[in-house]
Amino acid sequence: MKNRLMITAITLLTAMLLLAGCGGQESSKVASNENGNKTEKDSGKPKVAVVLKGLDQEYFKLAEKGAKQAFEDLGVDGTFLAATTQTETEKLINILEDLTNEEPDALVVMPSTEAAIPVLQRYKEKDIPVILIDTDLKWDGKTAYIGTDNYTAGQEAGKFLAEKLSKGDKIAILEGVLGTDVNEQRVKGVEDVMKEKGIKITASQAADFDRVKAVTVMENILTANPDIKGIFTANDEMAIGALKAVKARNLNIPIIGIDGTSDVLKSISKGDVTASVAQEPYDMAYKGVENALKAIKGETVEKNIDSSIEVITKENAGEKLEKVKSILDK
């Protein structure tokens, strides 16, 4: 009798545990991605993944804000992922590889280098539209590229810097990550303007788009070339780093960057960094999701969408800063 009761109790307990386990699986409709963002499974909404090459600079955070605002506004089941820094190419590729298993309806990606093309081709083979933002790739499989014409941005920076100089003057260039299209196009734009204006580029060295590295690289350049009259940096982070090195020597040298992030806007307002060619990362990401949705629906998507640029000087830095702050505070 005791054995019967024990068997009955064990059977009931086992059944209850099984039911509890089933109930737990059934109610588990929320998943967290690598950055802790929660997405509902089987929501019935179009699934769009946004992946950025980094998240360590304000520029990327502005893009993140644009993507997430688009998720909300457009009724998208969105996933946001990013490598820690833009030099972590392998990390970015791993994120993209893992994401292929989830098979989103569309992918919006800010790549770092051409090394991402093989994994992006796998999305193409699965008929998943791929929208590139910020950084273009020489890849026929992309649905669209949304971003700045980086050569033009470099030209605009070069023209503004040339206005501060005279024929025969020497300048230095702080490059970003060597081999990346963003860096190469921006630098080429400046080089072409300087050649046209008769201004010599006496030093051009990489600082990986990094503020701290830019300080050291700029110090070395100034030591070897104390007669430079202007500085171009391929992004704003390096402009701030270059400024620190210049100030340490009590020099007054015009510095032009690219991006239009808040630190450099504050610096321009104070008369330190001279100017920046501002981009629109928020708009790039927002439009990326918007056009991904069009592609999912089978609507026509433009192959190249220019997100526009603006030269920021002391006259308009304050207005631009308020706009950036309003986005970051959302």
Side-chain angles (χ1 to χ4, degrees):
M1 185 70 175
K2 285 182 180 178
N3 288 340
R4 272 184 178 177
L5 288 171
M6 187 174 293
I7 291 168
T8 302
I10 290 169
T11 302
L12 286 168
L13 180 60
T14 302
M16 288 170 68
L17 287 170
L18 285 170
L19 284 169
C22 291
Q25 290 175 0
E26 198 64 33
S27 62
S28 182
K29 292 182 180 178
V30 177
S32 293
N33 62 27
E34 192 166 325
N35 286 350
N37 301 295
K38 294 182 178 181
T39 57
E40 289 189 3
K41 292 182 177 179
D42 302 321
S43 65
K45 299 176 181 178
K47 294 179 173 61
V48 177
V50 176
V51 181
L52 304 187
K53 61 185 173 185
L55 203 57
D56 58 323
Q57 296 178 10
E58 181 185 282
Y59 183 86
F60 303 127
K61 289 177 171 55
L62 288 166
E64 178 186 5
K65 289 283 188 179
K68 290 181 175 177
Q69 189 63 52
F71 292 160
E72 184 180 331
D73 291 350
L74 305 175
V76 168
D77 184 351
T79 297
F80 178 86
L81 297 163
T84 307
T85 69
Q86 61 187 310
T87 55
E88 292 183 316
T89 303
E90 188 175 339
K91 174 70 172 176
L92 178 66
I93 290 170
N94 289 340
I95 290 171
L96 291 168
E97 284 176 344
D98 291 343
L99 192 58
T100 57
N101 298 323
E102 296 182 26
E103 298 192 347
D105 296 317
L107 172 69
V108 178
V109 59
M110 184 190 288
S112 51
T113 68
E114 307 280 330
I117 290 176
V119 68
L120 294 178
Q121 185 61 34
R122 287 167 55 188
Y123 286 84
K124 175 72 173 175
E125 290 164 2
K126 289 173 176 267
D127 292 323
I128 298 171
V130 177
I131 310 282
L132 304 181
I133 61 171
D134 176 75
T135 305
D136 201 2
L137 298 176
K138 295 172 183 174
W139 175 52
D140 293 336
K142 63 194 170 195
T143 301
Y145 166 65
I146 302 171
T148 301
D149 181 329
N150 284 293
Y151 177 78
T152 302
Q155 282 187 311
E156 290 302 310
K159 289 174 185 175
F160 190 89
L161 182 56
E163 289 175 2
K164 307 291 180 185
L165 307 173
S166 302
K167 188 175 182 178
D169 282 347
K170 298 175 182 179
I171 71 159
I173 293 177
L174 289 189
E175 298 193 40
V177 178
L178 295 179
T180 61
D181 188 69
V182 167
N183 177 71
E184 302 302 320
Q185 290 300 313
R186 290 177 185 179
V187 171
K188 183 68 166 60
V190 173
E191 288 174 341
D192 287 351
V193 170
M194 294 305 149
K195 184 177 179 181
E196 179 188 335
K197 301 292 185 181
I199 295 168
K200 184 180 178 182
I201 299 169
T202 194
S204 188
Q205 296 181 27
D208 294 339
F209 293 122
D210 184 81
R211 183 182 303 197
V212 176
K213 287 182 183 179
V215 178
T216 303
V217 174
M218 195 70 247
E219 285 173 345
N220 293 337
I221 290 175
L222 289 170
T223 299
N225 306 275
D227 57 344
I228 65 168
K229 302 295 184 183
I231 299 166
F232 165 72
T233 67
N235 81 339
D236 281 348
E237 287 291 309
M238 295 190 296
I240 297 294
L243 176 68
K244 184 174 181 180
V246 167
K247 278 193 161 186
R249 294 174 183 246
N250 295 314
L251 298 173
N252 185 18
I253 300 173
I255 302 170
I256 316 297
I258 292 183
D259 279 344
T261 51
S262 58
D263 279 354
V264 90
L265 294 173
K266 291 173 189 173
S267 181
I268 292 170
S269 296
K270 291 190 296 182
D272 290 331
V273 171
T274 310
S276 176
V277 178
Q279 299 191 89
E280 301 292 346
Y282 178 93
D283 290 346
M284 289 179 200
Y286 193 101
K287 289 176 182 177
V289 176
E290 195 172 46
N291 282 276
L293 201 53
K294 285 183 181 179
I296 291 168
K297 294 176 180 178
E299 297 174 9
T300 302
V301 176
E302 290 182 48
K303 197 73 175 176
N304 287 284
I305 301 171
D306 190 346
S307 59
S308 79
I309 55 175
E310 181 184 8
V311 178
I312 304 297
T313 63
K314 193 171 183 178
E315 286 68 37
N316 59 351
E319 181 183 346
K320 182 67 175 177
L321 180 60
E322 288 306 310
K323 181 180 177 182
V324 170
K325 281 182 176 179
S326 70
I327 291 171
L328 292 173
D329 290 342
K330 281 184 180 179

